[in-house]
Amino acid sequence: MRVRDLLAPGAPRLRLLAAEDELDRQVSGVMTTDLHDPGRYLHGGELVLTGMLWRTGPADSERFVRTIVAGGAVALAAGEAEVGPVPEDLVEACRRHRMPLLAVPDDIAFGTVTEFIGRQVSADRAADLAALVDRHRLLVSAAGGGGLDAVLDLLGGDLDLDCWVLTPTGAVIAGPADRLPAEDRDQLVRAHLGAQRQRRRPPHRARLAGGSYSLLPAPVTAEHETPLADWVLAVAGDVTEWTTKRQQLAENLARLVAAERHRRDEGRRLRRRLADEVLALLQRDADPAEISRTLYASSAMAARYESAEPKTQAQDGSWLVLSAEGAGLPEGVVRAVLEEALGGTTDRALVAGAGSGAVVVLPALDGPVPADTLRELLAPLEAGLGSEGRITLGVSAPASEAGGLRGALEEARHARRIAAARVGRVCVAGPEELASHVLLLAAVPDEVRRAFRSRLLDKVIAYDMEHQADLVRTLEAFLRSDGSWTRCAAQLHVHVNTLRYRIGRIEELTGRDLSRLEDRVDFYLALELA
């Protein structure tokens, strides 16, 4: 800021007493002092605030002004609260040394002046950084790598402004990950996706236990018209309370993030073609040697970015296949979502698009991927799915060689059918469930499943509703206890005779005999379908 800004509308009510021709001087900070010789504490560019307690006579004014001029001060503000109006000898000394002199009325606190200057200086520095970020945007687009981290480090060091770039699943693309816990990232991306789904105008604000944050989406690209696949810029603090210049800094930074995302997506085009080629080879049951060559080309490309040796499927040991489907989502969204969620820093996952679904082939470098891990990874996306939106995903067991990938693909598709039969916005099933009755249930048409469930349970449910009984819960507990009367009664905290009465009532309503294995299996399956 400049000295003249202290006299502008909205500034504290200061009066100019001397050196009106020197008001374009740049103010970089404030020093409050009543020392007789404060020069050794000045670094240059300061506005000196003083209560004039150092003055005992006219000669003191000349000495004081001469000292602060030598120290590089750009202006002097004298408070009138302690010793009254600014004396004429101080005004004359400032005129001789061309030092702007401002009078601070007795009802204006020094803290008010200091706070005003702090805000103005911060805004100016933010404007300078905004220009720097704007220029740096083109460099990031061309350079890649740690471009975003370099900019965020600059903002953190110069403005004490913490920023992070997050994927919709809460992974950190750039920024100090150690200063934003995983649970906070989860809450932030959920808040962002929920606000985007409701079409609220950004920036979106989120308040966590550690403070408030502002969330700015990168501009949506034409390739995926949903925030489920877009990065989000998380900024510590409430952007809406910032000065205009500082807000422009955040907006420029969001554009920079979008540019980096576009650059990264451009770099993925070849990998996408390789992924589509692998899927085509698997679907036509191609020669395993041909599949191996394509997989090796993918590994070589990933190794180039990691500065490592390419790994073949023999070196890695095995490959995994994932099959995913999106309901109520635009085409291409599931593919983009899985690229972000599974790509990570190694970018070894091959994600092929197939309309509203996707197929992923990735090395099982750390063993099989548990279904629970994937479910937890994708869980934040639930906040961005509409009432009809849904993602289901199936995971295969590891395939030890390229020739086994065709079978792994079929296994993943069967697992996805199991996931689709469940209730929830994001459902995942793994290969361990393929040997379960769940696979058979998933293959049964919906109308057949509904009829089977209704025939066994409708009368029991109706009786519970009419008599406020607890027959369905009793039935579940009885089956979990393997038909043991004592264990089931203890689990339900009822007498064995009460349990026998309830089971007898279920048998009367359904015409089944719960001492028979066949009838127990039927009830178990009906409860699973419910």
Side-chain angles (χ1 to χ4, degrees):
M1 65 170 291
R2 301 186 184 277
V3 176
R4 68 172 62 256
D5 295 334
L6 290 164
L7 303 170
R13 292 180 295 99
L14 308 184
R15 303 192 314 277
L16 178 65
L17 302 179
E20 57 270 19
D21 296 330
E22 301 294 331
L23 299 183
D24 284 330
R25 294 181 178 185
Q26 195 81 27
V27 180
S28 61
V30 181
M31 178 186 181
T32 302
T33 182
D34 276 308
L35 294 173
H36 287 82
D37 183 11
R40 61 186 181 276
Y41 300 111
L42 293 170
H43 301 286
E46 294 94 343
L47 168 79
V48 175
L49 270 171
T50 180
M52 299 185 290
L53 298 180
W54 44 263
R55 181 183 179 277
T56 58
D60 292 334
S61 295
E62 171 66 20
R63 184 174 58 253
F64 185 86
V65 174
R66 188 167 56 244
T67 298
I68 64 172
V69 168
V74 296
L76 174 64
E80 298 178 323
E82 292 291 337
V83 300
V86 178
E88 189 60 27
D89 50 83
L90 181 56
V91 176
E92 287 299 323
C94 287
R95 285 174 180 162
R96 283 194 298 273
H97 292 279
R98 304 181 64 81
M99 172 63 65
L101 174 62
L102 303 166
V104 183
D106 57 7
D107 61 338
I108 301 293
F110 279 7
T112 301
V113 178
T114 302
E115 182 181 356
F116 176 81
I117 293 174
R119 288 199 307 268
Q120 295 298 313
V121 170
S122 177
D124 286 347
R125 292 169 66 196
D128 292 340
L129 281 170
L132 178 60
V133 169
D134 203 28
R135 291 196 304 272
H136 195 72
R137 177 157 32 104
L138 295 177
L139 297 177
V140 172
S141 299
L148 283 177
D149 274 312
V151 174
L152 299 190
D153 286 346
L154 171 68
L155 294 177
D158 205 4
L159 278 184
D160 194 25
L161 181 63
D162 285 337
C163 303
W164 298 266
V165 179
L166 307 175
T167 70
T169 56
V172 178
I173 298 295
D178 58 330
R179 293 166 67 174
L180 192 64
E183 56 271 23
D184 288 355
R185 299 199 302 267
D186 182 88
Q187 292 184 59
L188 289 178
V189 295
R190 287 177 184 270
H192 164 70
L193 290 171
Q196 288 286 83
R197 183 168 58 83
Q198 297 169 13
R199 301 186 182 278
R200 297 210 302 267
R201 185 175 180 178
H204 310 129
R205 285 168 288 180
R207 180 167 292 280
L208 308 183
S212 60
Y213 295 83
S214 298
L215 307 169
L216 294 91
V220 177
T221 63
E223 191 166 357
H224 39 76
E225 299 176 355
T226 167
L228 287 171
D230 284 320
W231 291 350
V232 56
L233 172 64
V235 182
D238 189 345
V239 172
T240 61
E241 296 179 354
W242 292 1
T243 64
T244 301
K245 291 180 179 179
R246 197 175 173 96
Q247 288 180 15
Q248 289 172 352
L249 168 65
E251 293 168 1
N252 283 343
L253 186 56
R255 295 189 188 99
L256 185 150
V257 172
E260 171 64 5
R261 172 63 189 270
H262 178 72
R263 182 204 66 78
R264 204 283 316 276
D265 284 351
E266 287 295 314
R268 277 183 170 173
R269 288 189 182 277
L270 179 56
R271 286 187 56 76
R272 286 177 174 175
R273 287 200 294 270
L274 286 172
D276 289 339
E277 182 179 344
V278 168
L279 178 58
L281 292 172
L282 292 177
Q283 288 176 330
R284 64 181 175 86
D285 203 12
D287 184 354
E290 189 176 0
I291 298 173
S292 290
R293 286 193 294 271
T294 306
L295 291 174
Y296 183 84
S298 165
S299 294
M301 181 181 299
R304 184 179 66 188
Y305 291 113
E306 298 172 33
S307 301
E309 289 295 323
K311 298 179 180 181
T312 66
Q313 76 278 8
Q315 290 171 312
D316 287 340
S318 57
W319 296 85
L320 292 172
V321 178
L322 283 64
S323 175
E325 188 70 29
L329 302 174
E331 290 190 5
V333 169
V334 172
R335 178 180 194 166
V337 165
L338 291 179
E339 281 180 335
E340 293 302 326
L342 302 175
T345 56
T346 62
D347 211 18
R348 286 185 178 274
L350 283 173
V351 187
S356 61
V359 172
V360 184
V361 178
L362 71 161
L365 298 176
D366 300 315
V369 178
D372 289 343
T373 300
L374 283 172
R375 190 179 299 111
E376 183 178 347
L377 181 67
L378 300 176
L381 299 175
E382 295 174 352
L385 294 168
S387 57
E388 302 297 325
R390 198 161 183 252
I391 296 176
T392 55
L393 193 145
V395 189
S396 77
S400 59
E401 55 185 18
L405 285 177
R406 172 65 184 173
L409 175 59
E410 289 303 316
E411 192 174 62
R413 285 174 170 167
H414 284 305
R416 197 205 64 77
R417 293 190 187 101
I418 293 175
R422 293 174 174 159
V423 176
R425 298 285 181 85
V426 178
C427 297
V428 184
E432 65 280 356
E433 299 178 74
L434 294 178
S436 164
H437 65 279
V438 179
L439 177 61
L440 298 178
L441 294 179
V444 176
D446 287 345
E447 60 274 13
V448 176
R449 287 190 289 161
R450 283 194 296 269
F452 180 78
R453 181 178 65 237
S454 175
R455 195 169 295 128
L456 268 80
L457 295 181
D458 275 4
K459 290 181 179 180
V460 180
I461 294 172
Y463 186 89
D464 273 353
M465 295 178 66
E466 181 179 354
H467 299 279
Q468 289 76 49
D470 211 6
L471 298 186
V472 172
R473 190 167 75 93
T474 299
L475 177 59
E476 291 175 336
F478 186 73
L479 295 175
R480 282 197 304 270
S481 302
D482 298 324
S484 169
W485 296 98
T486 54
R487 288 208 312 270
C488 183
Q491 181 181 337
L492 293 173
H493 305 291
V494 298
H495 195 273
V496 172
N497 289 339
T498 302
L499 176 61
R500 291 185 184 278
Y501 171 78
R502 291 182 183 178
I503 295 299
R505 199 78 185 106
I506 293 171
E507 291 175 334
E508 290 177 10
L509 291 168
T510 61
R512 299 297 186 108
D513 182 357
L514 278 165
S515 66
R516 285 167 36 91
L517 176 62
E518 295 89 339
D519 286 343
R520 288 186 189 180
V521 170
D522 285 347
F523 275 120
Y524 176 79
L525 294 177
L527 288 169
E528 285 289 294
L529 292 172

